[in-house]
Amino acid sequence: MTKEKIIEVHNLTKRFGGFTAVNNISFDVFEGEIFGFLGANGAGKTTAMKMLIGISNPTSGEALVAGFDVKTKTEMVKRSIGYMSQKFSMYDDLTIKENITFFGGIYGLSRIQIKEKTKKLVIELGLEDVIDKLVGSLPLGWKQKLSFSVALLHEPKIVFLDEPTGGVDPITRRQFWEMIYAEANKGTTIFVTTHYMDEAEYCDRVSIMVEGVIEALDTPNNLKTKYNVASMNDVFLKLARNVE
Amino acid sequence: MFILFGMPIAQIMLFGFAITNEINNVNIAILDKSKDAETHKIINKISASAYFKINQEITNEKQIESVFKKGKVKAVLVFEKNFIKNLQTLKQAKVQVITDATDPNVANTISNYVNAILQNYTHEINKNNKPNHQIQTQTRLYYNPELKSVFTFVPGVMTIILMLVSAMMTSISITREKELGTMEVLLVSPLKPFQVIVGKVFPYIFLSIINAAIILLLGFFVFGMPIEGNIFLLAFESVLFITTALSLGILISTVSQTQQTAMMLSLMGLMLPVIILSGFIFPISSMPLLLQVISNIIPAKWFIIIIKAVLLKGATLDVIWKETLILVGMTVFFIAVSIKKYKIRLE
């Protein structure tokens, strides 16, 4: 694997009034890797991610995403990334086809491109029969897979997933991770937040945020060795307890 | 908490004070062609009552039209020439009560009150007069001689509908995107926030314009509502008001996170004041001073003044420029605040 840096973060800080949500974090993400961004609720991972995708301005520090500064080249950053939010975020009252067309449209894909992509995507996901059904009528697992595919529609270099598997069953989660792997194999960088520690094991490298600071960053295996525990779950607990 | 305790207080005050069809402190103008002792006494008596305030004296009949167009006064009292002489020699004299009947209820009440005051006055002077002197009142209704209530309802309903569709629907549809989480996705996309908002707002501009047109057409063809003014001015003012309402809707959506809040804010914060404080149903001049002051910040009030002036009185921009400017100012203000709120959210 080429070790080309695709995200570079230097001393990134975000303060809300007197509260420091993200405190001086620095890390790099390499091209094509699956980067797990872990942390308890309120540890600042969503805030950090929001700065990277250009919808929140850093208080200080800098971040380059796909080579563009998130402060000054927000527009270019947005073009290079895909994003799937925590909440399922497609239009329930539009059909699958309409949703794909819409999101393709806002990323500036041409009509022909959208048509081809829709066809391919629908076959991959096995949604041929329901393409004209309203998205609202789909089961959650399908919605999430669809949502992921839509985030990839414009072939971004990096895709940000914010707790993509919240509330779905283990089988669907498994399938979802298979999709993530497939995408990573194509060279797309995956930046994923989660608090399922078993999912952390699937990542190439993980960072663990505790109270606005990155406490650990390594491959899951190295982390387990370092903290001398059997699973990522224990690594996480150990780190979180140390702070308390 | 505010909604639980604030609303009932606000509402009882509003309904208690604002909802009255009585008149108070109505501005009137006097055209006294006689200027004698008798007319002076009558004028003093009228201005002494709590119902009327003499806003200005005019000197000839041509001015009547212009004071009405400016909307400064609701009625003009005209004393005929040689009032005192007629009263003494012919035993009767004439007063003309000319009212601005764009608001039929108010016009009616005004002429009744003036009549009552004059009758009272004749009673007093007739104590020592035989045979009785008579002061005849003649009522003339400008702009709406048949006192059709539709003349107030068309502008009023139009205002409410435009406010409802524009402000409420915009705020709800934007907060809906927030609730669904699609707003976030749109913001992460290369679309500029400005484009997202324009995209959300555009359909409602369109809908509102169609609504306005339908209401006016129905008013014109079904109810015989006159359209005296320039149709382009009318269209311009309507679009301006729609923009004001939309910007208000955007503002509401920046402060509320859920559709429900947006709905409550629009309904309580917009609908009630629009109906009660805009002067659509209840005359503003009769409200307590505080409510009169508050009514100034309600865009609908200004739009109703504008649209009535244009529709019924054929007013041109030089008469209603002030009201127009106020609406423009409000729009700019709402948009500026929205942008600011929006930026804070991003930071």
Side-chain angles (χ1 to χ4, degrees):
Chain A
M1 191 163 52
T2 49
K3 287 261 181 174
E4 202 76 33
K5 286 176 187 173
I6 193 140
I7 301 177
E8 296 174 58
V9 177
H10 303 292
N11 308 323
L12 199 64
T13 300
K14 177 79 184 181
R15 277 187 218 97
F16 297 103
F19 172 69
T20 308
V22 175
N23 193 358
N24 210 17
I25 60 170
S26 301
F27 62 92
D28 296 321
V29 177
F30 301 107
E31 204 169 352
E33 76 175 337
I34 300 176
F35 188 83
F37 201 59
L38 317 186
N41 293 328
K45 52 184 182 347
T46 304
T47 312
M49 184 148 121
K50 277 191 171 159
M51 289 190 274
L52 295 182
I53 59 178
I55 56 174
S56 178
N57 285 328
T59 313
S60 65
E62 62 167 358
L64 297 178
V65 173
F68 303 110
D69 190 324
V70 293
K71 271 194 211 164
T72 52
K73 294 264 168 60
T74 319
E75 225 37 43
M76 295 309 293
V77 169
K78 286 179 175 177
R79 281 185 194 282
S80 333
I81 61 170
Y83 173 63
M84 178 182 165
S85 88
Q86 205 166 340
K87 281 188 223 165
F88 169 73
S89 47
M90 304 184 86
Y91 294 92
D92 275 347
D93 43 10
L94 292 182
T95 65
I96 294 175
K97 198 174 165 183
E98 285 164 344
N99 264 299
I100 299 174
T101 312
F102 177 75
F103 284 102
I106 62 174
Y107 277 96
L109 299 188
S110 73
R111 233 167 255 249
I112 302 160
Q113 280 175 309
I114 291 175
K115 219 171 186 177
E116 282 168 8
K117 294 259 177 193
T118 311
K119 212 166 164 188
K120 217 174 108 198
L121 191 156
V122 167
I123 293 170
E124 269 172 24
L125 294 177
L127 294 170
E128 293 101 322
D129 301 334
V130 289
I131 182 158
D132 287 318
K133 280 233 171 90
L134 295 185
V135 162
S137 64
L138 291 178
L140 185 63
W142 285 28
K143 285 184 187 174
Q144 271 160 331
K145 284 184 214 160
L146 181 62
S147 201
F148 180 60
S149 309
V150 167
L152 294 168
L153 215 53
H154 58 293
E155 294 171 3
K157 287 191 192 144
I158 317 160
V159 56
F160 289 85
L161 309 173
D162 191 4
E163 292 176 14
T165 53
V168 293
D169 61 82
I171 301 168
T172 316
R173 262 168 64 197
R174 192 59 199 242
Q175 290 171 344
F176 194 85
W177 273 90
E178 275 161 17
M179 285 177 73
I180 292 178
Y181 269 113
E183 199 51 44
N185 281 336
K186 288 188 214 159
T188 312
T189 312
I190 314 278
F191 186 101
V192 55
T193 73
T194 179
H195 40 221
Y196 291 113
M197 289 305 140
D198 56 328
E199 288 185 352
E201 315 256 1
Y202 304 146
C203 299
D204 293 328
R205 286 193 310 148
V206 297
S207 76
I208 299 178
M209 256 186 112
V210 183
E211 294 185 354
V213 188
I214 292 184
E215 283 291 326
L217 198 170
D218 214 328
T219 62
N221 279 332
N222 287 351
L223 283 176
K224 278 183 279 187
T225 324
K226 185 177 168 196
Y227 291 94
N228 196 21
V229 287
S231 71
M232 278 307 294
N233 207 11
D234 296 331
V235 173
F236 186 76
L237 287 175
K238 218 166 185 175
L239 277 171
R241 285 217 183 99
N242 279 347
V243 172
E244 281 166 19
Chain B
M1 278 312 245
F2 170 72
I3 290 174
L4 276 179
F5 294 112
M7 279 301 162
I9 296 173
Q11 300 217 342
I12 191 85
M13 297 303 265
L14 271 182
F15 279 95
F17 284 118
I19 303 195
T20 162
N21 277 317
E22 285 170 21
I23 56 170
N24 273 311
N25 286 322
V26 172
N27 284 325
I28 58 171
I30 302 282
L31 172 52
D32 188 353
K33 293 183 192 161
S34 176
K35 292 207 188 276
D36 53 45
E38 206 68 33
T39 59
H40 262 198
K41 273 197 224 157
I42 298 178
I43 292 170
N44 279 340
K45 187 142 178 103
I46 286 172
S47 66
S49 78
Y51 310 119
F52 300 108
K53 218 164 63 191
I54 291 169
N55 179 276
Q56 55 184 310
E57 293 198 18
I58 55 178
T59 47
N60 63 56
E61 246 133 21
K62 280 180 198 143
Q63 287 175 300
I64 298 177
E65 185 82 24
S66 82
V67 292
F68 276 150
K69 267 195 187 161
K70 283 188 188 135
K72 285 256 171 67
V73 301
K74 290 276 180 199
V76 178
L77 294 192
V78 184
F79 295 93
E80 66 173 348
K81 265 188 192 147
N82 306 323
F83 189 87
I84 199 164
K85 208 171 115 200
N86 288 348
L87 201 60
Q88 280 157 359
T89 54
L90 305 172
K91 304 293 175 207
Q92 61 172 344
K94 284 186 196 128
V95 180
Q96 219 178 18
V97 185
I98 302 173
T99 48
D100 172 355
T102 47
D103 196 340
N105 287 333
V106 175
N108 232 341
T109 323
I110 289 174
S111 56
N112 288 341
Y113 280 29
V114 171
N115 265 329
I117 293 175
L118 289 176
Q119 261 173 23
N120 206 320
Y121 180 76
T122 36
H123 253 288
E124 275 173 33
I125 58 171
N126 282 342
K127 277 178 199 157
N128 355 324
N129 287 327
K130 290 274 165 164
N132 283 352
H133 287 179
Q134 276 186 351
I135 296 176
Q136 284 189 336
T137 47
Q138 257 182 349
T139 310
R140 273 186 65 196
L141 304 162
Y142 263 45
Y143 308 118
N144 184 4
E146 293 158 70
L147 283 181
K148 282 191 183 168
S149 56
V150 71
F151 286 21
T152 39
F153 273 96
V154 171
V157 167
M158 184 161 148
T159 311
I160 291 180
I161 300 274
L162 293 187
M163 202 72 189
L164 187 79
V165 173
S166 310
M168 192 154 107
M169 298 311 281
T170 322
S171 60
I172 289 178
S173 81
I174 294 178
T175 42
R176 196 174 114 89
E177 299 255 353
K178 278 198 208 169
E179 249 176 59
L180 287 175
T182 43
M183 191 50 117
E184 214 182 358
V185 177
L186 292 180
L187 290 178
V188 177
S189 79
L191 289 179
K192 296 196 174 72
F194 169 74
Q195 291 172 306
V196 175
I197 299 295
V198 170
K200 290 306 296 180
V201 159
F202 195 76
Y204 296 105
I205 296 185
F206 207 66
L207 276 176
S208 303
I209 291 176
I210 292 174
N211 271 332
I214 290 175
I215 294 170
L216 286 176
L217 286 175
L218 280 178
F220 185 72
F221 287 111
V222 180
F223 298 108
M225 169 108 189
I227 300 180
E228 299 283 349
N230 186 317
I231 194 100
F232 292 106
L233 180 61
L234 190 64
F236 164 75
E237 295 287 356
S238 305
V239 171
L240 174 63
F241 181 64
I242 290 169
T243 320
T244 315
L246 288 172
S247 53
L248 193 55
I250 295 172
L251 179 60
I252 290 177
S253 69
T254 60
V255 296
S256 40
Q257 289 303 321
T258 63
Q259 291 180 63
Q260 255 190 335
T261 331
M263 179 99 149
M264 282 291 272
L265 270 177
S266 313
L267 270 181
M268 296 296 193
L270 294 180
M271 287 304 288
L272 280 173
V274 167
I275 294 173
I276 295 171
L277 290 178
S278 66
F280 162 35
I281 299 178
F282 311 105
I284 292 174
S285 56
S286 313
M287 294 173 192
L289 188 67
L290 181 65
L291 286 185
Q292 290 191 30
V293 172
I294 294 175
S295 76
N296 286 331
I297 60 166
I298 293 173
K301 172 191 166 174
W302 304 106
F303 183 63
I304 286 187
I305 295 176
I306 291 174
I307 196 172
K308 273 190 173 177
V310 176
L311 275 181
L312 303 173
K313 303 180 190 171
T316 46
L317 196 58
D318 57 301
V319 181
I320 49 172
W321 64 270
K322 213 175 80 192
E323 285 81 6
T324 310
L325 219 59
I326 289 173
L327 281 187
V328 172
M330 283 176 165
T331 313
V332 172
F333 174 76
F334 291 145
I335 292 177
V337 176
S338 311
I339 292 174
K340 201 160 169 232
K341 288 254 172 208
Y342 187 82
K343 285 231 170 95
I344 288 172
R345 223 163 44 91
L346 279 188
E347 272 163 15

